[in-house]
Amino acid sequence: MGSHEGILKNNIVVVVKGVIENKGRILILKRSGADEVAAESWETVGGKIDFGEELEEAGLKVSVEKLLFATTFFTDPHRQIVLLTYLCRAIDDQVILSEEHSEYMWATRSELYDYLPQTILNDFKKYNVIDTVEIIAKQYELK
């Protein structure tokens, strides 16, 4: 009677991912076994951005090169994810893991295909991510 508790609020969550390149390899992280979602699976760096939060990735200083792709999807009818995936360059390769991740790897192109989940690989394929990374990495090698 007059209570609004039953009404679900629509919620947009912004997730920023970094495809972080160093010497032609991409940083991927393994989620810890304690994770409720996708424990032990590999992913690129990033996550939900909380209001006022600075962008810092895995303790690395990175420079943001370009937006690779933006996509949106619903995890339930009232929760929409806006996913922004940026290409970043890391100056060094010393990674500091948070408790959310148990391992990291600077992956070659073939290792990305071996380790990353199909959903991520599908997006990478659709938006030509790996080719873009390789082209930009080569440009740096030529300089």
Side-chain angles (χ1 to χ4, degrees), residues 39-89:
E40 305 279 317
S41 71
W42 290 84
E43 62 182 358
T44 53
V45 178
K48 195 166 99 259
I49 298 297
D50 295 317
F51 181 80
E53 192 177 13
E54 289 288 316
L55 292 177
E56 199 208 15
E57 303 293 354
L60 286 168
K61 288 194 168 53
V62 298
S63 60
V64 178
E65 294 291 316
K66 63 181 276 186
L67 179 66
L68 288 166
F69 66 93
T71 184
T72 183
F73 54 91
F74 288 85
T75 54
D76 70 46
H78 296 279
R79 190 166 183 268
Q80 181 180 8
I81 305 288
V82 175
L83 176 66
L84 304 172
T85 299
Y86 288 91
L87 175 61
C88 304
R89 291 186 58 76

Side-chain angles (χ1 to χ4, degrees), residues 105-139:
M105 177 196 298
W106 287 100
T108 61
R109 183 183 185 132
S110 63
E111 285 167 338
L112 291 176
Y113 289 111
D114 290 341
Y115 286 88
L116 287 176
Q118 200 55 50
T119 47
I120 295 177
L121 290 172
N122 289 345
D123 272 347
F124 276 22
K125 197 168 168 182
K126 181 176 174 185
Y127 298 104
N128 224 7
V129 167
I130 291 169
D131 290 341
T132 304
V133 170
E134 290 196 338
I135 289 163
I136 289 180
K138 281 195 178 71
Q139 287 171 353

Side-chain angles (χ1 to χ4, degrees), residues 1-14:
M1 302 254 289
S3 165
H4 293 294
E5 276 173 32
I7 297 171
L8 279 170
K9 205 164 115 272
N10 290 334
N11 196 2
I12 287 188
V13 178
V14 178

